[in-house]
Amino acid sequence: MKIIFCPLFFLLFQFTVKAQVKPVTFDTKIVYKFTYQNDSTSSASRRSVFTQLTIGEQESHFQTLSKFRSDSALAQKGGSIWSVYSYGRIEPNNFLIVKRGDVISTYEPLNGMGFSGNNELSYYEEKKEVMQWEIHPDTAHIHGFVCQKATTVWGGRKWTAWFTMDIPISDGPYKFCGLPGLVLSVSDQDKYFTFDIASIGKVNSISFTLDQLRPDLDLQKTTKDAFYKDRKDLRNNMTAYALATGTRLDEEAKRRVTLDTKTDNNHIERH
């Protein structure tokens, strides 16, 4: 059921900073196919989207192609306040991951819904060093490159990555980084989440600033632990949250919200 979302200010242990991030110039763009299963009990929930990693001299940005395109449209019309959403699930298209220096910054709405309708955006930082890799002698050919195997236990899952030293960029899809070459493929042990390179090429592009996307946007700085705790609390009370935003839900709509939340049980990081 599609419903109108009105922003709600969360009472969280956070502080607000002005929504302003300097534009970044990128010279490399890698597209990955991201396949995910958001219900661990049903393979029918498997979906695929395309994501992009854009790399500049000082930092890289990772997001879905659909988010990049919606941000482009949003910037062209000077921002938007209202959008149509469906409550219950965390949309996989809303995050922006920025890697700069030894820090990974994640920007994502706490409620997991679309960006244009939220005037608050949470973000937290974590050190790249928390992802500890073990490099193995195994090799494979991927997308025409000789790759080497590496494994890590991170985010509550065991991951296997294939990286190539032919491209000496210590980066990869999502938050994966820290290897002596570009990650071309990575998946968890259960194959619930897989990133596979689709293309790589040179670009000359400049990122959008958050002010361009939403002039009224406030960034809510938090910690990773607090972000996931508050998200869990919110999702355990999603129907009440929907009603608190002014949405009218009949009994069937409440049932759907509860079901969607229950089957949306398998996220890339376990917390």
Side-chain angles (χ1 to χ4, degrees), residues 68-197:
F68 172 76
R69 289 165 181 161
S70 65
D71 284 357
S72 300
L74 194 61
Q76 289 174 2
K77 65 181 181 180
S80 175
I81 295 179
W82 299 101
S83 282
V84 178
Y85 301 113
S86 177
Y87 284 95
R89 297 185 179 277
I90 294 176
E91 294 297 326
N93 300 320
N94 297 326
F95 60 81
L96 170 65
I97 295 169
V98 177
K99 305 186 190 91
R100 181 182 178 87
D102 64 347
V103 174
I104 303 172
S105 300
T106 301
Y107 298 80
E108 189 174 4
L110 182 71
N111 54 24
M113 299 180 192
F115 175 54
S116 63
N118 290 280
N119 67 345
E120 292 187 359
L121 182 66
S122 296
Y123 82 101
Y124 59 86
E125 298 174 343
E126 52 194 313
K127 296 290 187 179
K128 291 181 179 179
E129 63 191 26
V130 301
M131 193 176 295
Q132 298 292 313
W133 293 98
E134 180 181 355
I135 297 177
H136 303 270
D138 312 58
T139 60
H141 285 79
I142 300 175
H143 208 72
F145 296 96
V146 176
C147 296
Q148 192 167 349
K149 180 181 178 180
T151 57
T152 186
V153 177
W154 176 83
R157 300 181 189 275
K158 183 175 181 180
W159 298 90
T160 297
W162 295 90
F163 68 96
T164 179
M165 289 190 287
D166 293 340
I167 307 175
I169 299 174
S170 183
D171 211 332
Y174 195 61
K175 300 178 184 179
F176 298 105
C177 60
L179 288 165
L182 182 69
V183 175
L184 301 191
S185 177
V186 60
S187 62
D188 71 297
Q189 180 175 288
D190 299 311
K191 302 295 184 181
Y192 286 140
F193 302 93
T194 301
F195 295 90
D196 291 309
I197 189 171

Side-chain angles (χ1 to χ4, degrees), residues 61 91 109 164 195 200 236 255:
H61 289 191
E91 294 297 326
T164 179
F195 295 90
I200 181 172
N236 286 340
R255 188 189 70 81

Side-chain angles (χ1 to χ4, degrees), residues 251-269:
E251 292 305 313
E252 174 61 18
K254 291 178 182 179
R255 188 189 70 81
R256 290 298 307 172
V257 168
T258 301
L259 179 62
D260 281 349
T261 304
K262 182 178 180 180
T263 57
D264 187 35
N265 56 49
N266 193 32
H267 302 127
I268 191 167
E269 296 184 54

Side-chain angles (χ1 to χ4, degrees), residues 26 28-34 49-55 60-69 71-72 95-97 99 172-174 195 199 203 205 207-208:
F26 301 116
T28 303
K29 175 181 174 180
I30 303 105
V31 174
Y32 296 89
K33 184 179 181 181
F34 174 37
V49 296
F50 284 96
T51 60
Q52 67 175 30
L53 174 67
T54 44
I55 301 173
S60 69
H61 289 191
F62 182 79
Q63 59 191 324
T64 64
L65 281 177
S66 61
K67 181 183 184 303
F68 172 76
R69 289 165 181 161
D71 284 357
S72 300
F95 60 81
L96 170 65
I97 295 169
K99 305 186 190 91
Y174 195 61
F195 295 90
S199 67
V203 294
S205 61
S207 66
F208 298 109

Side-chain angles (χ1 to χ4, degrees), residues 35-47 190-192 266:
T35 301
Y36 60 94
Q37 182 176 325
N38 60 13
D39 182 357
S40 62
T41 67
S42 173
S43 60
S45 68
R46 291 180 68 82
R47 301 288 185 272
D190 299 311
K191 302 295 184 181
Y192 286 140
N266 193 32

